[in-house]
C-alpha cells in the first residue's frame, strides 16, 4: 500500500547521517533532536505546543487524562474509525458514545453528534479519516454550545489545511483543545518505528500533558499524579525532522496520484471516487473507493492475484466489534458505517507511485468490472 523503501532511498544519506549522529551522541531519550523536532512541528502547524509521545494511541489516552475525564463520562466519536480512538475511551472507563458518519466524506456526522449529547457528555473526538478533516466548524459550534472538549484525532491527516467559516486557514489538529497524531511508519509523516504527538494552544493544558506523559512528575522524582511513560525517542525525532521538511511535497504527490485514479474511474457505474470536503484539503492517507452493485471482496482478491495490494479500511464497524459490543447498539444502529464497511476498498497511494504501476492498478480495477457477472 505504501513504498517506504523507495521513500527512504531518496533521503537515505541525510537520514543515515542523522541516525548515526544520535548514536554517536548517545542522547537516546529526550535529546536535542526531540526538542528541535518539537519546535519545527510547532512552527509548521502554527500551534503553541507540540508534546511528542510514544504513539498515537498514547496521545489520545494522555489527552483524555489531561482533560480530567472521569469514569462514566461520555465521549462521542465516530463508529467508522480505527479502533484506537474508542479503545482509550474504554480503557479509561469512560463511556464511548458512537455516532454515524457522512456517507460522502466518511467523517463524523455533526447532526448525529447533537442527537447523542446527554448531561454526561464531556468530549467529542472527530477523526480526520483517510486524510481530510471532519466538518470542524460544525463540531466546534456544537462543542461551544454544550461546553464540551474537542480532541481531534489527526493520525491520518497531518498537514491538511482546513479553511474555517471565518476564512482562517489552519492545520488539522490545531482547532480543538487538543490534537493527537501518530508517526507510525505508514502514516503521512511516519518514523522508523512508533511515535506520536499531542498539539495544543493552551499553556496550562500543555504543561499538564507533559507531566502526565512523564510519570506525572514536573520535578524529577516528585510525582503529583498518576501518569504514564510515553516518549518519542531521539532517533525517531531525528528522522521525523528530515521527513517533516518533505511533508508538503509528499502530500502534493499523494494528491497527484489520487487525481489520476479520480480521472480513470470518473463516471464508472460501479465506482464512487472519494469526495473532497469543500473546507478541507485532502492529504489522501488512503484513497478509498465505494463499490456499488459488485462484490468488493472479489475485487480485492482479483487485485491480490495480480500482485496489486488493496485493503479494506475498515471491515467491521466499532459497534459490531466483539470487544465493544454494547446493549445500546445492534446491527442497523449506524447504517452509513455498516454500508461503508461492506462496500469500501482502498488502493495503494504513496509518494513513490510510477505511472506504469498506477496504470496497471487502474486497468486491473476496470478489467474486473468487465468480467461476466
Ligand atoms: C494510526 C491511528 C491511530 C493510532 O496510532 P498508533 O501510533 O498506531 O498508536 C489512532 N487513530 C487513527 C485514526 C489512526 O489511523
Amino acid at each position: 500500500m505504501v513504498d517506504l523503501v523507495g521513500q527512504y532511498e531518496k533521503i537515505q544519506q541525510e537520514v543515515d547521517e542523522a541516525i548515526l549522529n544520535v548514536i554517536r551522541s548517545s542522547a537516546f531519550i529526550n535529546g536535542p533532536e526531540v526538542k528541535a523536532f518539537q519546535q519545527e512541528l510547532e512552527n509548521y502547524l502554527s500551534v503553541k505546543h507540540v508534546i511528542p509521545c510514544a504513539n498515537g494511541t498514547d496521545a489520545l489516552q494522555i489527552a483524555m487524562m489531561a482533560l480530567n475525564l472521569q469514569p462514566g463520562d461520555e465521549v462521542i466519536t465516530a463508529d467508522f474509525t480505527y479502533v484506537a480512538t474508542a479503545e482509550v475511551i474504554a480503557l479509561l472507563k469512560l463511556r464511548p458514545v458512537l455516532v454515524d458518519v457522512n456517507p460522502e466524506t466518511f467523517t463524523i456526522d455533526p447532526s448525529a453528534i447533537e442527537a447523542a449529547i446527554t448531561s454526561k457528555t464531556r468530549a467529542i473526538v472527530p477523526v480526520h479519516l483517510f486524510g481530510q478533516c471532519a466538518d470542524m466548524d460544525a463540531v466546534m459550534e456544537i462543542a461551544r454550545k454544550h461546553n464540551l472538549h474537542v480532541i481531534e484525532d489527526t493520525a491520518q491527516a497531518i498537514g491538511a489545511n482546513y479553511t474555517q467559516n471565518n476564512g482562517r486557514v489552519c492545520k488539522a489538529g490545531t482547532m480543538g483543545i487538543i490534537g493527537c497524531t501518530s508517526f507510525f511508519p505508514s502514516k503521512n509523516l511516519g518514523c522508523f518505528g512508533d511515535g506520536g504527538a499531542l498539539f495544543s494552544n493552551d499553556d496550562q493544558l500543555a504543561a499538564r500533558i507533559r507531566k502526565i506523559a512523564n510519570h506525572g512528575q514536573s520535578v524529577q522524582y516528585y510525582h503529583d499524579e498518576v501518569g504514564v511513560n510515553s516518549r518519542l525517542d531521539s532517533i525517531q525525532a531525528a528522522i521525523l525532522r528530515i521527513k517533516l521538511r518533505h511533508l508538503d511535497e509528499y502530500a502534493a504527490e499523494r494528491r497527484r496520484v489520487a487525481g489520476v485514479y479520480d480521472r480513470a474511474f470518473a463516471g464508472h457505474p460501479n465506482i464512487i471516487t472519494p469526495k473532497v470536503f469543500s473546507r478541507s484539503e485532502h492529504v489522501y492517507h488512503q484513497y478509498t473507493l465505494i463499490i456499488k452493485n459488485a462484490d468488493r471482496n472479489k475485487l480485492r482478491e482479483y487485485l491480490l492475484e495480480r500482485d496489486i495490494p488493496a485493503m479494506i479500511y475498515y471491515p467491521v464497524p466499532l459497534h459490531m466489534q466483539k470487544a465493544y459490543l454494547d446493549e445500546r447498539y445492534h446491527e442497523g444502529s449506524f447504517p452509513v458505517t455498516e454500508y461503508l464497511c461492506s462496500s469500501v476498498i482502498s488502493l495503494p497511494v504513496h509518494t513513490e507511485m510510477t505511472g506504469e504501476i498506477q496504470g496497471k492498478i487502474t486497468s486491473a480495477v476496470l478489467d474486473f468490472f468487465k468480467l461476466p457477472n
Side-chain angles (χ1 to χ4, degrees), residues 13 53 74 85 101 104 123-124 147 182 187 191 274 287 296-297 342 351:
Q13 207 181 345
C53 68
E74 293 180 0
T85 326
V101 296
E104 293 191 319
I124 309 169
N147 200 19
S182 162
K187 299 283 154 99
C191 59
Y287 184 86
R296 64 95 200 263
N297 293 331
S342 68
T351 56

Side-chain angles (χ1 to χ4, degrees), residues 55-57 60 81-82 84-85 127 153 155-156 182 184 187 195 314:
N55 57 68
T57 309
L60 288 161
T81 182
Y82 181 57
T85 326
V127 181
D153 181 344
Q156 300 189 2
S182 162
F184 185 79
K187 299 283 154 99
Y314 296 94

Side-chain angles (χ1 to χ4, degrees), residues 116-353:
I117 291 173
T118 73
S119 59
K120 289 187 175 157
T121 309
R122 293 290 173 269
I124 309 169
V125 186
V127 181
H128 302 325
L129 201 72
F130 300 155
Q132 68 178 340
C133 294
D135 184 346
M136 286 305 291
D137 289 287
V139 170
M140 294 307 291
E141 193 178 316
I142 294 167
R144 264 191 298 275
K145 196 165 120 196
H146 298 273
N147 200 19
L148 305 173
H149 301 299
V150 174
I151 303 168
E152 290 174 74
D153 181 344
T154 191
Q156 300 189 2
I158 193 162
N161 283 315
Y162 181 96
T163 308
Q164 293 176 314
N165 272 337
N166 61 13
R168 212 182 134 229
V169 178
C170 28
K171 292 282 183 197
T174 65
M175 294 169 270
I177 185 82
I178 302 177
C180 296
T181 203
S182 162
F183 305 123
F184 185 79
S186 62
K187 299 283 154 99
N188 288 30
L189 179 60
C191 59
F192 291 2
D194 275 308
L198 299 96
F199 321 143
S200 185
N201 282 308
D202 183 313
D203 298 340
Q204 275 183 326
L205 194 54
R208 182 99 205 279
I209 290 168
R210 258 179 212 293
K211 179 155 89 171
I212 290 171
N214 184 24
H215 297 291
Q217 65 189 347
S218 39
V219 176
Q220 201 175 19
Y221 305 127
Y222 290 80
H223 304 275
D224 307 335
E225 60 184 310
V226 177
V228 295
N229 173 25
S230 191
R231 302 182 278 239
L232 179 73
D233 68 62
S234 305
I235 289 181
Q236 303 305 342
I239 295 160
L240 287 164
R241 287 186 69 195
I242 296 164
K243 289 181 87 173
L244 177 60
R245 288 177 218 136
H246 296 277
L247 184 59
D248 286 342
E249 150 206 329
Y250 289 162
E253 187 54 19
R254 286 171 174 274
R255 271 195 291 276
R256 187 193 66 75
V257 171
V260 172
Y261 282 137
D262 281 346
R263 286 188 292 281
F265 303 137
H268 192 287
N270 298 104
I271 303 174
I272 304 178
T273 55
K275 167 107 192 256
V276 182
F277 176 45
S278 57
R279 297 212 169 268
S280 179
E281 207 175 36
H282 205 317
V283 294
Y284 292 100
H285 175 62
Q286 299 298 342
Y287 184 86
T288 304
L289 301 171
I290 298 176
I291 302 301
K292 286 188 299 184
N293 304 320
D295 185 342
R296 64 95 200 263
N297 293 331
K298 284 199 180 134
L299 170 59
R300 177 159 188 257
E301 281 162 31
Y302 182 88
L303 295 172
L304 294 182
E305 278 162 19
R306 281 153 189 78
D307 288 325
I308 296 168
M311 291 291 284
I312 310 300
Y313 302 117
Y314 296 94
V316 182
L318 274 180
H319 75 282
M320 315 257 293
Q321 296 281 1
K322 195 170 156 201
Y324 297 91
L325 292 178
D326 184 303
E327 77 278 0
R328 289 168 296 170
Y329 308 131
H330 48 83
E331 198 175 338
S333 290
F334 304 108
V336 176
T337 300
E338 289 172 30
Y339 169 69
L340 294 175
C341 288
S342 68
S343 60
V344 291
I345 186 166
S346 299
L347 300 178
V349 58
H350 54 78
T351 56
E352 312 303 315
M353 182 76 81

Side-chain angles (χ1 to χ4, degrees), residues 46-57:
S46 297
V47 72
K48 268 176 100 176
H49 305 280
V50 165
I51 304 97
C53 68
N55 57 68
T57 309

